[in-house]
Amino acid sequence: VRQGADVLSTFTLVGHTEGGRKKWEVQGETADLLSETVDLSPVRAVSYGKTQLHLTADQGWFHRTNQDVRLKGHVVATTSDGARLTTESLDWSQEKETGTTSDWVHIFRQGMTATGLGGTGFPQLKRVRLEKQVTVTLQNTQGETTVITCDGPMETDYGRQKSRFWRNVLVRDAKGFIRSDRLDAVLDPETHELKKATFWGHVEIRQDDRVATANRANYWPAHHRIQLIGHPKLVAPPPDPGPSGRPLKAGPPPAAGAGGGAAFTAGELGE
């Protein structure tokens, strides 16, 4: 800690592991170096590990006893693996190595943005959870956009490139939309594009005036293919000789043990 010429002093504190490796660092200006809770403004913090985390905020409070940090005002978190998170407040736990907020969260990664009300981040585990009113936007290499919304929560494991969306899920792209109670999504590890989507409960698929429903559905966007499982039902307009009036046609049945269903190409669903 370096004393300044005025009332404020620059506060720098570094924590180490039992093996002597630097684990975290907190820095900011303060008017009271001896307080149990050090008021910092502005504040910068770094958490070291497999994934390095940098935190900045307008104001912060460092608790000497448990070494936790509370951040407020223009909070920005960036990780060494390319993620960026912004929010208005964040409670960082040194012991759990997690950041939690009840404010709106905005997450940015290559080809993906996500927003939600309230969330928790686990940088070392490469996981994040958004609690409510979740919106995720994915953009593939061709510039095509897929938007996923749900009431929440949404849980994402960036290490395994998997996400789970809960309650009132809606997936919309240029071809139409799909509704369900839950969605399990697998992303491409390099492009972060949607690789496979599995929809659970009250599945409804709409493309123009074509509708398909089922208990469960698998969707492979790159192959433009959908598999309906569990009481599949298809509704299509009367046959039309024009290219836009092709009726729905069932493809080959799913493999044995899939629970019964029907498979369709996106063209058969009216692409």
Side-chain angles (χ1 to χ4, degrees):
V1 177
R2 301 185 302 276
Q3 296 290 340
D6 53 13
V7 177
L8 294 179
S9 300
T10 299
F11 174 91
T12 302
L13 192 64
V14 179
H16 297 83
T17 64
E18 293 181 358
R21 179 177 57 84
K22 184 186 288 189
K23 185 177 181 181
W24 52 264
E25 179 178 342
V26 177
Q27 185 181 82
E29 291 187 342
T30 182
D32 189 355
L33 297 174
L34 303 180
S35 174
E36 175 62 27
T37 300
V38 182
D39 188 346
L40 303 171
S41 179
V43 60
R44 296 173 296 279
V46 182
S47 177
Y48 300 93
K50 293 181 180 179
T51 301
Q52 193 173 114
L53 173 70
H54 291 258
L55 294 166
T56 61
D58 295 340
Q59 190 174 10
W61 295 266
F62 176 77
H63 302 279
R64 291 180 181 274
T65 302
N66 54 20
Q67 300 177 344
D68 290 348
V69 180
R70 176 168 175 77
L71 304 174
K72 187 175 182 180
H74 299 96
V75 180
V76 178
T78 57
T79 64
S80 55
D81 61 353
R84 183 172 181 266
L85 178 150
T86 63
T87 186
E88 279 303 305
S89 68
L90 188 72
D91 291 308
W92 175 258
S93 169
Q94 293 288 359
E95 180 181 0
K96 298 179 181 179
E97 296 186 322
T98 61
T100 304
T101 181
S102 59
D103 287 322
W104 282 100
V105 179
H106 306 271
I107 302 173
F108 308 89
R109 294 182 71 93
Q110 179 185 357
M112 186 203 79
T113 61
T115 62
L117 182 59
T120 303
F122 308 80
Q124 300 306 322
L125 300 177
K126 296 186 176 182
R127 291 170 46 211
V128 67
R129 174 186 170 103
L130 298 180
E131 296 297 338
K132 303 176 182 178
Q133 303 179 48
V134 178
T135 299
V136 174
T137 302
L138 304 172
Q139 188 173 55
N140 64 21
T141 53
Q142 289 75 43
E144 298 171 332
T145 299
T146 299
V147 179
I148 306 172
T149 60
C150 72
D151 291 346
M154 178 209 74
E155 301 158 315
T156 295
D157 184 332
Y158 291 112
R160 299 195 300 165
Q161 294 297 316
K162 293 184 176 181
S163 295
R164 176 166 289 175
F165 299 79
W166 292 92
R167 298 193 302 140
N168 194 27
V169 179
L170 175 64
V171 179
R172 185 183 296 274
D173 60 18
K175 303 179 186 68
F177 68 80
I178 305 177
R179 294 184 184 275
S180 67
D181 297 334
R182 191 185 101 193
L183 164 63
D184 293 339
V186 180
L187 305 180
D188 185 281
E190 295 184 0
T191 64
H192 304 292
E193 298 176 14
L194 184 61
K195 187 176 180 180
K196 180 186 177 183
T198 300
F199 298 87
W200 303 81
H202 302 93
V203 179
E204 176 187 345
I205 304 169
R206 287 184 178 267
Q207 292 183 359
D208 298 324
D209 52 0
R210 296 165 175 79
V211 182
T213 61
N215 293 338
R216 180 159 59 100
N218 293 317
Y219 177 39
W220 296 268
H223 301 286
H224 306 290
R225 189 165 183 80
I226 299 173
Q227 180 189 44
L228 305 179
I229 302 172
H231 305 288
K233 182 179 179 181
L234 308 172
V235 180
D240 188 323
S244 63
R246 290 170 293 175
L248 296 172
K249 298 183 296 181
F264 305 89
T265 65
E268 289 166 344
L269 284 176
E271 181 186 35

